[in-house]
Amino acid sequence: MLMAAATFNSLTLPFSKPEFPFSSIARTHVPTPTLNLSWFRPNGFLLCSLSSDHPTTATGGQLHHKANTNSTDPQPQIHSCTWNWKGYSIRYQCSGSSGPALVLVHGFGANSNHWRKNIPVLAKSHRVYAIDLIGYGYSDKPNPREVGDSFYTFETWGSQLNDFCSSVVKDKAFFICNSIGGLVGLQAAVAKPEICRGLFLLNISLRMLHVKKQPWFGRPFIASFQSLLRNTAVGKLFFRSVATPESVRSILCQCYHDTSQVTEELVQIILHPGLETGAVDVFLEFICYSGGPLPEELLPQVECPVLIAWGDKDPWESIKLGRAYGDFDTVEDFVVLPNVGHCPQDEAPHLVNPLVESFVSRHSKSPANASTTI
């Protein structure tokens, strides 16, 4: 879960603070625009089911609907759906009926509800999809010991994302990603470049626990600690100690610079799926995942435009290191989000939503990047 990740990182990151061999110059600093956010309201949710073997239109019985009768600017309806991927139930949300397709990819321990402040805004002029990666949110959580060590990897999640575009979106899409979701988007874009139209990366994970970034003297300690958490009762005891509303709120207040945005709703969004059967095993599996790709290895390989935005008050993913990603030829801009933490899409949607709209608009006009059925 998101909250436990902070505690674990605090134990290991003092051993791993290497600088990237690139210059660190911020290209853009975004002033805070004045926007009225008073019209953000909950929307109706419909439950529906899709199968990758027999794809159909997303329809189904109504689970819950709350009419927005007070707004003169009604929000697009949001549908909560399930998709059968390789025999696993995958939950996603979708909204909007026209415009370019966007797929929103959450970070570690989060889920598609973390995009609740973005979906209704972006859906006014886009077809928006937000997915729960397998192992997270309300998607299935197969036991790592049953599916194998190579299951919960960026290769698996990247494959899930590309298959989702082929089976559900049925179109090329822009990937809008936060934290480790950025690695998922990059991996998907590298694996099948014909699917991704562009990547918008928010505070992408630096992967400081990766074996390549661990100093030689810290590797034995980190490996032993990971093994202790994964293979003994210590891991589940540790998880239970932080899987409480109080602990979740405390750690969210670390990664959100504006702590007024850490509401009871947000606490429950992060906590509730983490209490489901299998969530603890997925958590422990991922924090022991020190291999796989790094952002600096994938960025040179992507063929689509990339924009990186970074909350400059992120205590987990240092903007000092993150700025180096802006120097890759594939990255068109590095945008500093002032006074924002690790999850800008939720903490500062008034900054993020216009940036997404602008990025997508710029790259939707090119005939070479035009939408096509896949």
Side-chain angles (χ1 to χ4, degrees):
M1 295 171 69
L2 180 68
M3 64 280 188
T7 306
F8 184 73
N9 281 342
S10 69
L11 296 173
T12 57
L13 288 185
F15 291 95
S16 26
K17 292 183 178 294
E19 296 283 347
F20 298 144
F22 314 106
S23 62
S24 302
I25 302 175
R27 299 180 185 173
T28 309
H29 193 282
V30 177
T32 304
T34 302
L35 294 175
N36 184 358
L37 300 181
S38 61
W39 41 265
F40 279 111
R41 293 182 175 88
N43 289 276
F45 288 83
L46 297 180
L47 181 65
C48 52
S49 177
L50 292 178
S51 168
S52 58
D53 298 322
H54 304 284
T56 60
T57 304
T59 59
Q62 182 172 334
L63 176 65
H64 174 71
H65 177 257
K66 184 175 181 180
N68 187 357
T69 57
N70 297 325
S71 176
T72 57
D73 186 13
Q75 303 298 302
Q77 190 176 57
I78 301 175
H79 303 266
S80 183
C81 308
T82 58
W83 165 54
N84 186 320
W85 181 62
K86 299 184 177 181
Y88 300 111
S89 177
I90 303 299
R91 180 259 196 150
Y92 70 94
Q93 300 180 57
C94 59
S95 185
S97 58
S98 62
L102 314 182
V103 180
L104 316 183
V105 187
H106 63 80
F108 176 49
N111 59 82
S112 59
N113 288 343
H114 211 189
W115 300 96
R116 70 199 188 284
K117 299 177 183 178
N118 316 101
I119 296 172
V121 179
L122 299 174
K124 291 182 178 180
S125 53
H126 307 84
R127 291 169 291 136
V128 181
Y129 301 82
I131 190 171
D132 285 4
L133 298 173
I134 191 164
Y136 295 104
Y138 298 96
S139 290
D140 279 350
K141 302 168 181 64
N143 191 313
R145 298 185 186 276
E146 296 176 0
V147 295
D149 294 342
S150 60
F151 187 79
Y152 289 108
T153 65
F154 292 112
E155 288 79 8
T156 295
W157 290 314
S159 176
Q160 178 190 355
L161 185 55
N162 283 330
D163 289 348
F164 180 75
C165 290
S166 298
S167 298
V168 179
V169 181
K170 299 183 183 301
D171 199 356
K172 299 170 66 174
F174 291 89
F175 298 158
I176 316 300
C177 314
N178 176 227
S179 190
I180 69 158
L183 272 297
V184 176
L186 282 170
Q187 180 64 46
V190 169
K192 290 193 175 181
E194 69 274 14
I195 289 179
C196 184
R197 301 181 69 181
L199 282 160
F200 188 102
L201 308 177
L202 289 158
N203 290 60
I204 186 172
S205 173
L206 298 165
R207 300 211 63 201
M208 299 306 292
L209 290 176
H210 195 284
V211 66
K212 293 181 180 178
K213 293 187 176 181
Q214 298 172 14
W216 65 268
F217 55 85
R219 289 173 188 169
F221 168 77
I222 294 173
S224 296
F225 187 58
Q226 288 174 325
S227 178
L228 178 71
L229 291 177
R230 184 185 184 195
N231 299 316
T232 72
V234 173
K236 291 186 178 180
L237 288 172
F238 168 62
F239 185 84
R240 283 200 294 270
S241 73
V242 295
T244 67
E246 296 76 20
S247 293
V248 172
R249 177 177 292 277
S250 175
I251 295 178
L252 285 169
C253 285
Q254 294 178 28
C255 68
Y256 278 60
H257 181 67
D258 179 4
T259 57
S260 70
Q261 299 302 314
V262 181
T263 62
E264 184 59 29
E265 177 190 22
L266 176 61
V267 170
Q268 291 303 316
I269 282 173
I270 300 300
L271 175 62
H272 192 266
L275 300 177
E276 289 199 337
T277 301
V280 60
D281 297 307
V282 176
F283 162 75
L284 294 173
E285 183 72 12
F286 185 77
I287 63 174
C288 296
Y289 177 41
S290 295
L294 291 166
E296 53 266 39
E297 294 170 344
L298 294 174
L299 278 168
Q301 301 180 56
V302 297
E303 300 178 11
C304 63
V306 180
L307 187 144
I308 298 177
W310 213 287
D312 66 352
K313 302 300 183 183
D314 187 342
W316 296 349
E317 309 291 353
S318 167
I319 191 171
K320 181 180 178 181
L321 299 179
R323 280 187 173 125
Y325 293 148
D327 294 329
F328 284 93
D329 292 339
T330 51
V331 178
E332 67 175 34
D333 209 351
F334 185 97
V335 181
V336 177
L337 303 175
N339 299 314
V340 180
H342 183 63
C343 308
Q345 78 279 11
D346 188 63
E347 183 180 346
H350 59 289
L351 296 179
V352 172
N353 290 334
L355 281 173
V356 172
E357 292 171 332
S358 175
F359 174 73
V360 172
S361 176
R362 286 198 305 275
H363 297 289
S364 296
K365 297 175 182 178
S366 170
N369 204 22
S371 177
T372 58
T373 300
I374 58 175

